[in-house]
Amino acid sequence: MRYRKRKYFLAGRINLIQRSKIRELFEKASKMEGVISLGIGEPDFDTPDVIKEAAKRAIDEGYTHYTPNAGIPEFREAIAEYYREFYRISVDPSNIIVTAGAYEATYLAFQSLLEQGDDVIIPDPAFVCYVEDAKIAEAGILRIPLREENKFRIDPDELVEMITKRTRMLVMNYPNNPTGATLDKKTAKAIGEIAEDYNIYILTDEPYEHFLYEGAKHYPMIKYAPDNTIIANSFSKTFAMTGWRLGFTIAPAQVIRDMIKLHAYVIGNVASFVQIAGITALRDRRSWEAVENMKRVYDERRRLVLKYLSKMPHLTPFRPKGAFYIWVKIDRELDMSSEDFADWLLENARVVVIPGTAFGKQGEGWVRISYATKKEQLIEAMERMQAALSKI
Ligand SMILES: Cc1ncc(COP(=O)(O)O)c(C=O)c1O
């Protein structure tokens, strides 16, 4: 069928959203041969077999119907159990909604908590969805810079300075995309206290909580401001389940009540057999063994890429202790913007990296490298970069 030419009346709201600036880079790369992409933000591992088998079994057993909007009770129990076992945090299953990934969880939080006249503080740089979520919620956006000298942690003093009567929410994301930074207890505590003192929400997006290296630990913000914290979390990274669209949110009862109203009419519920597989992911020892293995491999690659980058001319990496990204500073002498550099690298080394400005203004002068790519590819990409940069 061909659509006739006609005038379409579209809601202006959607124009508030900016499509990713890096699409052009990917489009250009897709037309070139032999390109290695270090731009990918998803695990290259396959979902552990034990989880796949659980989903197949669930379909055969008839988990093909609607479930309660908030999710299958046993699955929500398993999520609560997980917080108890890993972090000694007591969460009531009634405070959990199973969502279509962390994307949905953050969207629900923005829509339920913010409106015109409210401000949200979003780090700069930050993962791309928060700013777009804020725009659709018509909230005012303030960016708090993350600085290298603070190891890309939010500076509590700077945060206090930014808070006004309009401030409703702070977004946090540790281990961090794009910097690979992790949180420390002192900062977590200080931010928790600020959130309580000024009564602002913390929306904390924690999908990389298991990818930690060099002894780094995870400090879930719910521990430090339990009444103010909304968690967005996901199975996407931990269990290499990006395509399954499985995540959850944890929030205080009043907040959950509002979030579920929206969730019920947009998603209804996450696929029932996917939720059943989620129970296996959390409770079966074999899925955790797979997570440990992924973590070990990521760490090997992280060290490998850092080793190359530390010797490479014109680039200086920040040493990350979390997630699967490396945030790399471009030498000022090169006189190239992040976008120019990414473009230059694609042309001259056939390697894709993400310009730091995709994550905010503070990303100028930086690029993000993902090591969620096979070792051989990483080595090849590093050698090509080394060769290209040595010629400058
Ligand atoms: C920080 C962060 N939050 C959320 C997401 C979205 O994850 P999900 O697949 O759970 O929706 C991503 C994906 O890259 C991410 O990096």
Side-chain angles (χ1 to χ4, degrees):
M1 191 208 56
R2 281 188 139 225
Y3 289 104
R4 272 180 294 146
K5 269 208 172 141
R6 52 159 293 183
K7 182 164 170 59
Y8 287 94
F9 296 98
L10 302 170
R13 187 185 312 123
I14 302 302
N15 289 332
L16 298 172
I17 306 174
Q18 194 174 28
R19 292 207 71 181
S20 176
K21 281 191 232 152
I22 51 187
R23 268 174 50 240
E24 281 167 31
L25 189 75
F26 278 114
E27 264 164 36
K28 192 167 162 188
S30 71
K31 291 183 193 126
M32 292 165 71
E33 274 188 29
V35 171
I36 299 176
S37 178
L38 307 182
I40 308 149
E42 70 169 315
D44 57 310
F45 294 99
D46 199 7
T47 306
D49 283 344
V50 61
I51 303 174
K52 291 202 254 180
E53 291 307 323
K56 291 180 207 166
R57 236 180 7 253
I59 293 178
D60 288 341
E61 285 170 5
Y63 284 97
T64 53
H65 298 268
Y66 287 136
T67 77
N69 294 128
I72 293 173
E74 192 189 345
F75 184 33
R76 291 158 79 206
E77 288 278 351
I79 295 168
E81 197 176 282
Y82 159 76
Y83 273 86
R84 212 163 33 243
E85 277 172 20
F86 269 86
Y87 303 115
R88 294 200 209 142
I89 295 170
S90 163
V91 175
D92 195 284
S94 67
N95 292 93
I96 301 171
I97 304 175
V98 177
T99 59
Y103 270 131
E104 197 218 341
T106 49
Y107 177 75
L108 294 180
F110 273 92
Q111 286 296 319
S112 311
L113 301 175
L114 302 179
E115 59 192 1
Q116 211 170 41
D118 296 336
D119 285 346
V120 54
I121 300 178
I122 300 175
D124 185 352
F127 177 58
V128 288
C129 81
Y130 317 128
V131 165
E132 308 309 320
D133 279 343
K135 288 184 198 161
I136 313 174
E138 298 182 76
I141 302 167
L142 303 172
R143 304 293 300 258
I144 185 164
L146 301 182
R147 301 177 203 284
E148 189 180 15
E149 58 266 32
N150 290 339
K151 299 186 179 155
F152 297 105
R153 291 171 184 152
I154 292 169
D155 177 346
D157 294 332
E158 215 168 340
L159 174 63
V160 169
E161 288 286 305
M162 283 180 94
I163 294 174
T164 67
K165 273 194 220 140
R166 293 156 61 106
T167 311
R168 287 277 169 282
M169 188 159 94
L170 164 71
V171 176
M172 293 182 75
N173 161 231
Y174 292 99
N176 185 258
N177 176 7
T179 62
T182 51
L183 202 54
D184 62 325
K185 198 173 185 174
K186 193 167 152 235
T187 310
K189 259 177 116 166
I191 295 175
E193 278 169 21
I194 294 167
E196 288 185 341
D197 288 351
Y198 292 86
N199 198 19
I200 58 174
Y201 292 110
I202 296 175
L203 170 61
T204 176
D205 185 19
E206 304 182 357
Y208 297 97
E209 63 187 328
H210 290 287
F211 300 129
L212 292 163
Y213 321 103
E214 297 183 20
K217 282 195 180 148
H218 183 56
Y219 298 96
M221 284 309 297
I222 193 172
K223 215 170 194 164
Y224 302 95
D227 301 318
N228 297 57
T229 296
I230 290 102
I231 299 178
N233 210 336
S234 174
F235 286 57
S236 289
K237 319 286 167 161
T238 305
F239 300 106
M241 290 174 72
T242 46
W244 297 61
R245 311 309 305 131
L246 186 61
F248 57 89
T249 181
I250 303 178
Q254 278 98 329
V255 179
I256 282 288
R257 218 160 30 227
D258 276 8
M259 288 169 103
I260 205 160
K261 284 188 204 162
L262 182 58
H263 170 81
Y265 286 123
V266 180
I267 302 288
N269 63 262
V270 170
S272 49
F273 51 91
V274 167
Q275 294 188 51
I276 295 292
I279 299 175
T280 297
L282 290 177
R283 288 189 176 157
D284 198 297
R285 179 182 45 80
R286 286 165 292 177
S287 63
W288 289 108
E289 283 167 3
V291 175
E292 277 308 306
N293 183 53
M294 289 188 247
K295 187 174 145 179
R296 188 182 49 74
V297 175
Y298 284 139
D299 192 21
E300 268 173 33
R301 296 174 183 173
R302 183 186 65 101
R303 279 182 279 127
L304 176 87
V305 175
L306 279 173
K307 205 165 156 187
Y308 270 101
L309 288 171
S310 62
K311 287 189 208 135
M312 225 174 267
H314 311 297
L315 296 180
T316 318
F318 167 72
R319 192 171 182 93
K321 294 192 178 166
F324 41 64
Y325 306 106
I326 301 184
W327 192 235
V328 186
K329 190 159 40 178
I330 311 158
D331 232 5
R332 284 230 175 122
E333 280 163 32
L334 280 190
D335 200 24
M336 277 195 234
S337 70
S338 298
E339 282 189 35
D340 290 345
F341 180 77
D343 224 38
W344 179 89
L345 204 62
L346 177 60
E347 300 265 343
N348 292 275
R350 305 205 163 219
V351 171
V352 175
V353 297
I354 307 289
T357 41
F359 308 99
K361 283 201 186 99
Q362 296 288 326
E364 187 54 274
W366 297 78
V367 288
R368 188 193 77 177
I369 285 181
S370 159
Y371 51 88
T373 303
K374 299 274 173 288
K375 189 175 168 186
E376 302 71 46
Q377 294 269 86
L378 282 173
I379 293 175
E380 172 69 22
M382 289 298 121
E383 300 208 328
R384 286 191 201 173
M385 281 171 67
Q386 170 89 40
L389 282 157
S390 307
K391 285 190 201 134
I392 298 184

Short mmCIF file of all heavy atoms in Angstrom, two decimals, residues 41-42 100-106 127-130 173 175-178 205-208 232-237 241-243 245-247 324-325 368, ligand 1:
data_model
loop_
_atom_site.label_atom_id
_atom_site.label_comp_id
_atom_site.label_asym_id
_atom_site.label_seq_id
_atom_site.Cartn_x
_atom_site.Cartn_y
_atom_site.Cartn_z
N GLY A 41 26.56 0.17 22.89
CA GLY A 41 26.29 0.21 24.33
C GLY A 41 25.55 -1.01 24.81
O GLY A 41 24.71 -0.92 25.70
N GLU A 42 25.84 -2.16 24.21
CA GLU A 42 25.18 -3.36 24.71
C GLU A 42 26.14 -4.54 24.73
O GLU A 42 27.07 -4.60 23.92
CB GLU A 42 23.92 -3.69 23.90
CG GLU A 42 24.16 -4.19 22.51
CD GLU A 42 22.86 -4.73 21.89
OE1 GLU A 42 22.14 -5.47 22.57
OE2 GLU A 42 22.62 -4.42 20.72
N ALA A 100 9.44 -2.49 31.01
CA ALA A 100 10.12 -2.87 29.76
C ALA A 100 11.49 -2.20 29.74
O ALA A 100 11.71 -1.19 29.07
CB ALA A 100 9.27 -2.46 28.57
N GLY A 101 12.38 -2.70 30.54
CA GLY A 101 13.74 -2.16 30.63
C GLY A 101 13.80 -0.92 31.52
O GLY A 101 12.78 -0.43 32.01
N ALA A 102 15.03 -0.41 31.68
CA ALA A 102 15.22 0.80 32.49
C ALA A 102 14.67 2.02 31.76
O ALA A 102 14.26 2.99 32.38
CB ALA A 102 16.70 0.99 32.79
N TYR A 103 14.63 1.96 30.44
CA TYR A 103 14.05 3.07 29.67
C TYR A 103 12.63 3.37 30.14
O TYR A 103 12.27 4.52 30.35
CB TYR A 103 13.95 2.68 28.18
CG TYR A 103 15.15 3.02 27.34
CD1 TYR A 103 15.72 2.06 26.51
CD2 TYR A 103 15.68 4.30 27.33
CE1 TYR A 103 16.80 2.36 25.71
CE2 TYR A 103 16.77 4.60 26.53
CZ TYR A 103 17.33 3.63 25.72
OH TYR A 103 18.40 3.94 24.92
N GLU A 104 11.84 2.32 30.28
CA GLU A 104 10.46 2.57 30.69
C GLU A 104 10.42 3.08 32.12
O GLU A 104 9.63 3.97 32.47
CB GLU A 104 9.59 1.30 30.56
CG GLU A 104 8.11 1.65 30.60
CD GLU A 104 7.20 0.68 31.34
OE1 GLU A 104 7.58 -0.48 31.58
OE2 GLU A 104 6.08 1.10 31.70
N ALA A 105 11.27 2.51 32.96
CA ALA A 105 11.29 2.93 34.37
C ALA A 105 11.59 4.43 34.50
O ALA A 105 10.92 5.15 35.24
CB ALA A 105 12.32 2.10 35.14
N THR A 106 12.56 4.92 33.76
CA THR A 106 12.90 6.35 33.85
C THR A 106 11.76 7.20 33.26
O THR A 106 11.40 8.22 33.83
CB THR A 106 14.22 6.71 33.13
OG1 THR A 106 14.19 6.15 31.84
CG2 THR A 106 15.43 6.16 33.82
N PHE A 127 23.90 9.70 30.25
CA PHE A 127 23.21 8.84 29.27
C PHE A 127 22.07 9.65 28.64
O PHE A 127 21.43 10.46 29.32
CB PHE A 127 22.69 7.58 29.98
CG PHE A 127 21.90 6.66 29.09
CD1 PHE A 127 22.46 6.15 27.94
CD2 PHE A 127 20.59 6.32 29.41
CE1 PHE A 127 21.73 5.30 27.11
CE2 PHE A 127 19.86 5.47 28.60
CZ PHE A 127 20.43 4.96 27.45
N VAL A 128 21.82 9.41 27.36
CA VAL A 128 21.01 10.32 26.56
C VAL A 128 19.52 10.42 26.91
O VAL A 128 18.89 11.43 26.62
CB VAL A 128 21.13 9.95 25.07
CG1 VAL A 128 22.49 10.32 24.54
CG2 VAL A 128 20.87 8.46 24.84
N CYS A 129 18.93 9.43 27.55
CA CYS A 129 17.46 9.45 27.64
C CYS A 129 16.91 10.44 28.67
O CYS A 129 15.80 10.92 28.53
CB CYS A 129 16.90 8.04 27.85
SG CYS A 129 16.94 7.46 29.54
N TYR A 130 17.70 10.77 29.71
CA TYR A 130 17.12 11.59 30.79
C TYR A 130 16.67 12.97 30.29
O TYR A 130 15.60 13.44 30.68
CB TYR A 130 18.12 11.78 31.94
CG TYR A 130 18.87 10.54 32.34
CD1 TYR A 130 20.26 10.52 32.42
CD2 TYR A 130 18.19 9.35 32.62
CE1 TYR A 130 20.97 9.38 32.78
CE2 TYR A 130 18.89 8.20 32.97
CZ TYR A 130 20.28 8.23 33.04
OH TYR A 130 20.98 7.10 33.39
N ASN A 173 23.48 8.06 38.03
CA ASN A 173 23.71 6.82 37.28
C ASN A 173 25.14 6.34 37.52
O ASN A 173 26.08 6.82 36.91
CB ASN A 173 23.45 7.09 35.77
CG ASN A 173 24.07 6.06 34.85
OD1 ASN A 173 24.77 6.38 33.90
ND2 ASN A 173 23.83 4.80 35.12
N PRO A 175 27.33 2.52 38.44
CA PRO A 175 28.43 2.83 37.54
C PRO A 175 27.91 3.57 36.31
O PRO A 175 26.81 3.28 35.84
CB PRO A 175 29.00 1.46 37.17
CG PRO A 175 28.58 0.56 38.29
CD PRO A 175 27.27 1.08 38.77
N ASN A 176 28.72 4.48 35.81
CA ASN A 176 28.24 5.49 34.88
C ASN A 176 28.47 5.18 33.40
O ASN A 176 29.53 4.71 33.01
CB ASN A 176 28.93 6.82 35.26
CG ASN A 176 28.43 7.98 34.44
OD1 ASN A 176 29.08 8.42 33.51
ND2 ASN A 176 27.26 8.47 34.76
N ASN A 177 27.46 5.49 32.65
CA ASN A 177 27.57 5.58 31.20
C ASN A 177 27.48 7.08 30.90
O ASN A 177 26.49 7.68 31.31
CB ASN A 177 26.38 4.83 30.57
CG ASN A 177 26.36 4.96 29.06
OD1 ASN A 177 27.27 5.48 28.46
ND2 ASN A 177 25.27 4.48 28.46
N PRO A 178 28.44 7.74 30.33
CA PRO A 178 29.53 7.24 29.50
C PRO A 178 30.91 7.15 30.15
O PRO A 178 31.83 6.67 29.51
CB PRO A 178 29.61 8.31 28.41
CG PRO A 178 29.32 9.59 29.16
CD PRO A 178 28.29 9.20 30.19
N ASP A 205 19.64 5.39 38.24
CA ASP A 205 19.59 4.41 37.15
C ASP A 205 20.82 3.52 37.33
O ASP A 205 21.95 3.97 37.17
CB ASP A 205 19.65 5.22 35.84
CG ASP A 205 19.48 4.37 34.61
OD1 ASP A 205 18.96 3.25 34.73
OD2 ASP A 205 19.86 4.82 33.51
N GLU A 206 20.59 2.25 37.69
CA GLU A 206 21.71 1.43 38.14
C GLU A 206 21.90 0.13 37.35
O GLU A 206 22.14 -0.93 37.92
CB GLU A 206 21.56 1.14 39.65
CG GLU A 206 21.44 2.43 40.47
CD GLU A 206 21.32 2.23 41.99
OE1 GLU A 206 21.26 1.07 42.45
OE2 GLU A 206 21.28 3.24 42.71
N PRO A 207 21.78 0.18 36.02
CA PRO A 207 21.85 -1.09 35.27
C PRO A 207 23.24 -1.73 35.19
O PRO A 207 23.35 -2.88 34.82
CB PRO A 207 21.36 -0.70 33.88
CG PRO A 207 21.62 0.74 33.75
CD PRO A 207 21.52 1.32 35.12
N TYR A 208 24.28 -0.96 35.56
CA TYR A 208 25.64 -1.53 35.45
C TYR A 208 26.18 -1.97 36.81
O TYR A 208 27.39 -2.11 36.99
CB TYR A 208 26.60 -0.50 34.84
CG TYR A 208 26.24 -0.12 33.42
CD1 TYR A 208 25.51 1.04 33.16
CD2 TYR A 208 26.62 -0.91 32.35
CE1 TYR A 208 25.17 1.39 31.85
CE2 TYR A 208 26.29 -0.57 31.05
CZ TYR A 208 25.56 0.58 30.81
OH TYR A 208 25.23 0.93 29.53
N ALA A 232 15.76 2.85 38.89
CA ALA A 232 15.50 2.24 37.58
C ALA A 232 16.57 1.18 37.43
O ALA A 232 17.76 1.46 37.62
CB ALA A 232 15.62 3.28 36.47
N ASN A 233 16.16 -0.03 37.15
CA ASN A 233 17.16 -1.09 36.99
C ASN A 233 16.75 -2.02 35.86
O ASN A 233 15.63 -1.92 35.35
CB ASN A 233 17.34 -1.85 38.31
CG ASN A 233 18.75 -2.39 38.45
OD1 ASN A 233 19.45 -2.60 37.45
ND2 ASN A 233 19.19 -2.64 39.67
N SER A 234 17.66 -2.90 35.48
CA SER A 234 17.44 -3.62 34.25
C SER A 234 18.18 -4.96 34.23
O SER A 234 19.21 -5.12 34.87
CB SER A 234 17.99 -2.75 33.12
OG SER A 234 17.95 -3.42 31.91
N PHE A 235 17.64 -5.88 33.44
CA PHE A 235 18.32 -7.15 33.21
C PHE A 235 19.20 -7.07 31.95
O PHE A 235 19.97 -7.98 31.66
CB PHE A 235 17.30 -8.28 33.04
CG PHE A 235 16.64 -8.69 34.33
CD1 PHE A 235 15.95 -7.77 35.12
CD2 PHE A 235 16.71 -9.99 34.79
CE1 PHE A 235 15.37 -8.12 36.32
CE2 PHE A 235 16.13 -10.38 36.00
CZ PHE A 235 15.44 -9.44 36.76
N SER A 236 19.06 -5.95 31.22
CA SER A 236 19.71 -5.82 29.91
C SER A 236 21.22 -6.06 29.95
O SER A 236 21.76 -6.79 29.13
CB SER A 236 19.48 -4.42 29.34
OG SER A 236 18.15 -4.27 28.94
N LYS A 237 21.89 -5.39 30.89
CA LYS A 237 23.35 -5.46 30.92
C LYS A 237 23.81 -6.64 31.79
O LYS A 237 24.66 -7.42 31.38
CB LYS A 237 23.94 -4.17 31.45
CG LYS A 237 23.27 -2.90 30.96
CD LYS A 237 23.59 -2.55 29.53
CE LYS A 237 22.63 -1.48 29.04
NZ LYS A 237 23.02 -0.74 27.90
N MET A 241 20.63 -9.25 28.33
CA MET A 241 19.25 -9.49 27.91
C MET A 241 18.62 -8.24 27.27
O MET A 241 17.42 -7.99 27.44
CB MET A 241 18.40 -9.93 29.12
CG MET A 241 18.73 -11.32 29.63
SD MET A 241 17.85 -11.73 31.16
CE MET A 241 16.18 -11.97 30.58
N THR A 242 19.43 -7.47 26.52
CA THR A 242 18.90 -6.20 25.99
C THR A 242 17.61 -6.37 25.17
O THR A 242 16.71 -5.56 25.27
CB THR A 242 19.96 -5.50 25.11
OG1 THR A 242 20.52 -6.48 24.24
CG2 THR A 242 21.06 -4.89 25.93
N GLY A 243 17.56 -7.44 24.39
CA GLY A 243 16.40 -7.61 23.51
C GLY A 243 15.15 -8.10 24.21
O GLY A 243 14.06 -8.08 23.62
N ARG A 245 13.79 -6.81 26.86
CA ARG A 245 13.11 -5.66 27.44
C ARG A 245 12.58 -5.98 28.84
O ARG A 245 11.38 -6.03 29.09
CB ARG A 245 11.96 -5.14 26.53
CG ARG A 245 12.33 -4.96 25.09
CD ARG A 245 13.60 -4.14 24.90
NE ARG A 245 13.56 -2.84 25.55
CZ ARG A 245 14.54 -2.37 26.34
NH1 ARG A 245 15.64 -3.08 26.58
NH2 ARG A 245 14.43 -1.20 26.89
N LEU A 246 13.50 -6.19 29.73
CA LEU A 246 13.12 -6.53 31.10
C LEU A 246 13.87 -5.66 32.11
O LEU A 246 15.10 -5.61 32.12
CB LEU A 246 13.42 -8.02 31.37
CG LEU A 246 12.93 -8.56 32.72
CD1 LEU A 246 11.42 -8.45 32.87
CD2 LEU A 246 13.36 -10.01 32.92
N GLY A 247 13.10 -4.98 32.92
CA GLY A 247 13.68 -4.14 33.97
C GLY A 247 12.66 -3.94 35.07
O GLY A 247 11.63 -4.62 35.10
N PHE A 324 31.04 -0.71 30.98
CA PHE A 324 31.97 -1.25 29.97
C PHE A 324 32.37 -0.18 28.96
O PHE A 324 32.42 -0.42 27.76
CB PHE A 324 31.47 -2.54 29.30
CG PHE A 324 30.00 -2.59 28.94
CD1 PHE A 324 29.46 -1.72 28.02
CD2 PHE A 324 29.17 -3.55 29.53
CE1 PHE A 324 28.12 -1.79 27.68
CE2 PHE A 324 27.82 -3.62 29.20
CZ PHE A 324 27.30 -2.74 28.27
N TYR A 325 32.65 1.02 29.52
CA TYR A 325 33.04 2.15 28.68
C TYR A 325 34.35 2.76 29.16
O TYR A 325 34.65 2.71 30.35
CB TYR A 325 31.97 3.23 28.73
CG TYR A 325 30.59 2.73 28.38
CD1 TYR A 325 29.62 2.57 29.38
CD2 TYR A 325 30.26 2.41 27.07
CE1 TYR A 325 28.36 2.09 29.06
CE2 TYR A 325 29.00 1.93 26.75
CZ TYR A 325 28.05 1.78 27.75
OH TYR A 325 26.81 1.31 27.45
N ARG A 368 33.70 8.46 23.81
CA ARG A 368 33.42 7.24 24.58
C ARG A 368 33.74 6.01 23.74
O ARG A 368 33.31 5.90 22.59
CB ARG A 368 31.95 7.17 24.98
CG ARG A 368 31.65 6.02 25.94
CD ARG A 368 30.16 5.75 26.09
NE ARG A 368 29.64 5.02 24.94
CZ ARG A 368 28.38 4.60 24.82
NH1 ARG A 368 27.50 4.86 25.79
NH2 ARG A 368 27.98 3.94 23.74
C1 LIG B 1 22.64 4.21 31.83
C2 LIG B 1 21.62 3.47 31.05
N1 LIG B 1 20.34 3.50 31.46
C3 LIG B 1 19.37 2.85 30.79
C4 LIG B 1 19.64 2.16 29.63
C5 LIG B 1 18.51 1.49 28.93
O1 LIG B 1 18.51 0.15 29.28
P1 LIG B 1 17.30 -0.86 29.09
O2 LIG B 1 17.70 -1.81 28.02
O3 LIG B 1 17.15 -1.52 30.41
O4 LIG B 1 16.05 -0.08 28.75
C6 LIG B 1 20.96 2.11 29.15
C7 LIG B 1 21.27 1.42 27.89
O5 LIG B 1 22.29 1.59 27.28
C8 LIG B 1 21.96 2.78 29.88
O6 LIG B 1 23.24 2.76 29.48
#
